[in-house]
Amino acid sequence: SGTVAFKPRTRLPVLDLVGEATMTSRTGENIAVILEAQGPIDDPKVTFTSDRGLSQREILTLLTAGQEPVGLGLRGIRRFGL
């Protein structure tokens, strides 16, 4: 949900968006992932958070791979700094 607004005297829209998805870890654990995008469309600030306190790097790994890396649980990701 959110808004895309045009400020007066500018052609670039400004984003204020929030999206949420539920991902399933390799162990079957459900993880809520929240994306927030705020600012001008040509340079938005994008952040990821989760209900499990994962780092942005851990969340990106989960989103891009569909699950945490093989052989590593979420604790293993933190331990090895991935």
Side-chain angles (χ1 to χ4, degrees):
S1 68
T3 61
V4 177
F6 289 87
K7 290 187 174 185
R9 299 186 197 116
T10 181
R11 293 180 186 244
L12 291 177
V14 177
L15 304 174
D16 187 11
L17 305 172
V18 177
E20 183 176 340
T22 300
M23 302 292 295
T24 303
S25 73
R26 180 174 298 283
T27 61
E29 172 183 31
N30 286 332
I31 302 170
V33 175
I34 299 99
L35 172 136
E36 294 181 63
Q38 298 176 327
I41 196 149
D42 64 340
D43 190 25
K45 179 181 177 190
V46 178
T47 57
F48 294 95
T49 55
S50 78
D51 65 344
R52 304 288 183 198
L54 301 177
S55 71
Q56 290 202 46
R57 179 178 280 179
E58 291 168 328
I59 294 168
L60 287 173
T61 300
L62 183 64
L63 291 172
T64 57
Q67 53 195 355
E68 67 272 23
V70 175
L72 297 176
L74 295 175
R75 289 184 186 96
I77 292 172
R78 288 190 192 102
R79 184 179 25 217
F80 291 107
L82 300 174

